Amino acid sequence: MIDIYMAEILSFSKDPTKSKLSSNSINYYKNGLLIIENGFIKDVGNYENIKKKYMINDSDINKIYKDKLIMSGFIDTHIHYAQTEIIGSFGEELLPWLEKYTFPAELKFKDKEYASKISDFFIHELLKNGTTTALVLGTVHEESIDAIFEVANSIDMRLIAGKVMMDRNAPKELLDTPKDSYEKSEELIKKWHENNRLLYAITPRFAPTSSNEQLKLAGELKKKYPTTYVHTHLSENKKEIAWVKSLFPQSKNYLDVYDSFGLVDKRSIFAHAIHLEDEEYQTLHDKGAAISFCPTSNLFLGSGLFKIREMKKENRDIKIGLGTDVGAGTSFSMIKTLAEAYKVISLEQNNNTKREAFGSFEAFYQATLGAAQSLYLDDKIGKIEKGYEADFIVIDFKPDALQNLRINKIEESKKSDLEKLEEKLFALMIMGDDRNIISTFVNGKKVY
Ligand code: GUN
Ligand code: ZN
């Protein structure tokens, strides 16, 4: 099965903030052709070159997206599918919000039928927003993970998920035990990890809801199955951090709690990481662990302002992805998440003499290839390049009158194609949302 797409095509080859000339890190084909075969990218390039190389006739081009942009699907590196129903619950900070809205919502996922219904809704919502891979927390119930993986598997989606491990400081119906959480997680690893495109994440919710014994067993699981992920929360809220200090007085800092149990490694993803100490930044870097930056959630819960420029320092470039963190996050849209990231980064640097704003190339890189790198999946997803898995989206820059007006203004200017693209992407990230996503393709197939 071969499909040939004609569109504008954009892909990143590395972090555009790390090269002097942005053109070195960006592959942009204003008149592009993309060939997809059996779920993989067979080739991509300029219309003329690809046409000649494969002796393609115009009549062979079966997917024409005139004036539309094809790019890699978005990768959401932190989201709770069981919180879909409680998105936008009124005004609390982290700990009371968990008690009041989150834990009651998660109780319902013991029921497999309910979990399957929400899984269907959730996956559709991701695809509608152009997200083709996500790192997902389920609930403490193994049924929740069967449900979400079944739906993802039915469309060959690359999804990472895990059962929450939680043995204290939550309602007792939501608690497991160290032994039970180890065994259930292991069963799920054997059933789902590397099953087609699915991957498993060992998921202690956060330090306060796990005993030492549970974290120790989680670390043993990671050691036994090193290609699995570790997915949890870190330093989101100041009261949470004080609580962690009181629960784990022997630890040097919050990250050290996880580190002392072998949970900080490649493929460990920590959500938030807003209030870190210097030593924690260094450990994250040295261990090759990653952070998920969740701006809509951090603003919604008043948690604080993420310090991306501290993370991306020359000598300690920490792996970063963006996360929506639904349901503390307020949108499934990675486009809207980028807009909030831009504002958080601007605010956070208010007192710096040399501000480095979050440009659109950096933003879309972080939402695609940057996230793939943070998950150690950048040899498979995150690029529109020969040999990569065919997960991509088609973007319309002009879904409404205002965006149309704005984009036309950019297109009329005398700037270079790359400069115009940068401005169009910026307008997209500030004003756009799911209306800009006209189609989503997973494994080479149209799924939205
Ligand atoms: N920390 C522990 N659990 C959660 C959660 O469900 N959401 C957020 N934002 N932070 C957490
Ligand atoms: Zn979260």
Side-chain angles (χ1 to χ4, degrees):
M1 250 305 273
I2 289 195
D3 286 310
I4 304 174
Y5 295 77
M6 184 159 76
E8 280 185 47
I9 301 169
L10 166 68
S11 180
F12 296 95
S13 56
K14 55 184 181 225
D15 185 344
T17 64
K18 301 281 180 251
S19 62
K20 294 237 163 14
L21 277 175
S22 48
S23 55
N24 288 347
S25 49
I26 295 168
N27 295 319
Y28 176 50
Y29 309 106
K30 186 135 184 18
N31 296 304
L33 282 186
L34 169 65
I35 309 178
I36 305 294
E37 187 177 34
N38 299 325
F40 287 89
I41 296 169
K42 185 177 162 75
D43 214 339
V44 58
N46 275 320
Y47 172 82
E48 294 297 343
N49 296 349
I50 294 290
K51 231 182 114 163
K52 214 187 293 160
K53 184 169 170 187
Y54 294 93
M55 293 187 289
I56 292 168
N57 296 315
D58 281 340
S59 60
D60 300 329
I61 302 172
N62 56 345
K63 315 274 180 182
I64 297 177
Y65 288 103
K66 196 167 157 17
D67 299 325
K68 306 293 185 286
L69 177 75
I70 287 182
M71 62 181 290
S72 274
F74 298 129
I75 301 172
D76 184 340
T77 60
H78 182 70
I79 186 164
H80 300 250
Y81 98 82
Q83 296 173 14
T84 304
E85 251 190 345
I86 57 148
I87 188 168
S89 293
F90 179 72
E92 302 274 351
E93 64 171 312
L94 175 63
L95 300 174
W97 174 86
L98 281 175
E99 295 277 339
K100 197 160 159 186
Y101 305 108
T102 311
F103 292 149
E106 293 189 10
L107 281 169
K108 290 158 84 178
F109 287 75
K110 171 101 195 93
D111 175 1
K112 172 80 189 292
E113 211 173 300
Y114 178 77
S116 297
K117 188 181 103 185
I118 299 292
S119 293
D120 268 330
F121 185 95
F122 173 86
I123 297 286
H124 178 75
E125 203 63 27
L126 290 181
L127 300 172
K128 177 181 162 192
N129 281 283
T131 298
T132 49
T133 286
L135 173 56
V136 183
L137 288 99
T139 64
V140 75
H141 316 100
E142 61 273 26
E143 294 86 348
S144 73
I145 295 306
D146 284 333
I148 191 81
F149 275 147
E150 280 162 14
V151 176
N153 207 22
S154 72
I155 55 164
D156 283 321
M157 185 175 185
R158 192 168 269 295
L159 194 92
I160 314 170
K163 168 201 131 58
V164 165
M165 304 168 84
M166 171 153 81
D167 68 350
R168 64 171 171 172
N169 293 321
K172 77 171 181 320
E173 306 89 318
L174 279 181
L175 298 181
D176 51 19
T177 62
K179 182 169 176 287
D180 193 43
S181 69
Y182 181 96
E183 288 171 2
K184 293 277 162 48
S185 299
E186 184 169 37
E187 268 171 41
L188 289 166
I189 290 169
K190 287 182 177 155
K191 184 163 173 192
W192 295 111
H193 185 59
E194 294 171 343
N195 177 346
N196 297 325
R197 299 185 75 204
L198 307 173
L199 296 161
Y200 192 81
I202 299 160
T203 311
R205 177 176 212 115
F206 69 152
T209 46
S210 286
S211 62
N212 280 286
E213 181 59 15
Q214 184 164 60
L215 292 173
K216 181 168 158 277
L217 289 177
E220 284 175 17
L221 261 185
K222 171 69 176 166
K223 199 161 170 209
K224 188 164 175 191
Y225 301 97
T227 63
T228 59
Y229 290 80
V230 170
H231 184 200
T232 186
H233 297 88
L234 173 71
S235 290
E236 176 178 7
N237 171 292
K238 292 204 170 144
K239 288 180 191 149
E240 169 210 12
I241 295 167
W243 193 21
V244 170
K245 285 217 161 89
S246 72
L247 291 169
F248 300 90
Q250 77 282 13
S251 293
K252 284 184 288 183
N253 51 50
Y254 197 156
L255 186 66
D256 187 48
V257 175
Y258 298 130
D259 200 20
S260 62
F261 295 110
L263 292 165
V264 183
D265 204 342
K266 295 187 172 76
R267 297 183 193 81
S268 297
I269 288 78
F270 300 96
H272 309 302
I274 299 170
H275 313 282
L276 295 188
E277 296 170 10
D278 238 35
E279 200 176 327
E280 295 178 285
Y281 286 113
Q282 198 60 50
T283 304
L284 288 167
H285 170 264
D286 295 348
K287 297 276 175 107
I291 296 302
S292 180
F293 170 25
C294 306
T296 76
S297 166
N298 298 163
L299 293 171
F300 181 72
L301 293 176
S303 304
L305 302 174
F306 185 78
K307 301 178 187 66
I308 198 168
R309 299 292 168 236
E310 283 296 317
M311 301 268 173
K312 292 179 80 168
K313 278 196 170 160
E314 204 64 46
N315 52 348
R316 61 159 196 227
D317 192 7
I318 297 166
K319 294 177 182 298
I320 300 173
L322 278 121
T324 58
D325 194 26
V326 166
T330 53
S331 172
F332 275 80
S333 169
M334 289 299 289
I335 295 177
K336 286 181 112 177
T337 302
L338 293 178
E340 300 315 285
Y342 172 81
K343 296 169 199 168
V344 164
I345 291 164
S346 293
L347 265 176
E348 195 280 317
Q349 297 186 96
N350 249 348
N351 296 326
N352 293 6
T353 45
K354 197 171 143 272
R355 273 174 59 161
E356 274 180 89
F358 195 47
S360 63
F361 285 148
E362 182 182 11
F364 284 92
Y365 155 79
Q366 286 296 168
T368 55
L369 178 60
Q373 288 166 336
S374 81
L375 300 170
Y376 292 83
L377 289 174
D378 51 307
D379 57 338
K380 297 185 174 63
I381 57 172
K383 287 188 192 176
I384 305 287
E385 212 172 279
K386 205 171 176 164
Y388 274 69
E389 296 172 0
D391 292 348
F392 58 95
I393 55 180
V394 185
I395 289 183
D396 177 5
F397 282 107
K398 308 173 177 176
D400 67 7
L402 181 60
Q403 290 189 61
N404 186 51
L405 191 79
R406 176 72 189 106
I407 297 296
N408 284 345
K409 165 117 177 89
I410 296 167
E411 285 175 345
E412 282 160 12
S413 77
K414 299 253 167 336
K415 298 187 169 151
S416 73
D417 285 344
L418 206 60
E419 285 168 327
K420 286 186 198 175
L421 174 69
E422 188 171 18
E423 288 190 17
K424 283 163 68 173
L425 288 172
F426 188 72
L428 169 68
M429 82 188 222
I430 298 304
M431 303 200 293
D433 51 39
D434 58 292
R435 293 167 306 157
N436 297 85
I437 310 294
I438 53 175
S439 282
T440 302
F441 292 81
V442 160
N443 206 34
K445 287 191 223 84
K446 189 173 183 170
V447 287
Y448 171 77

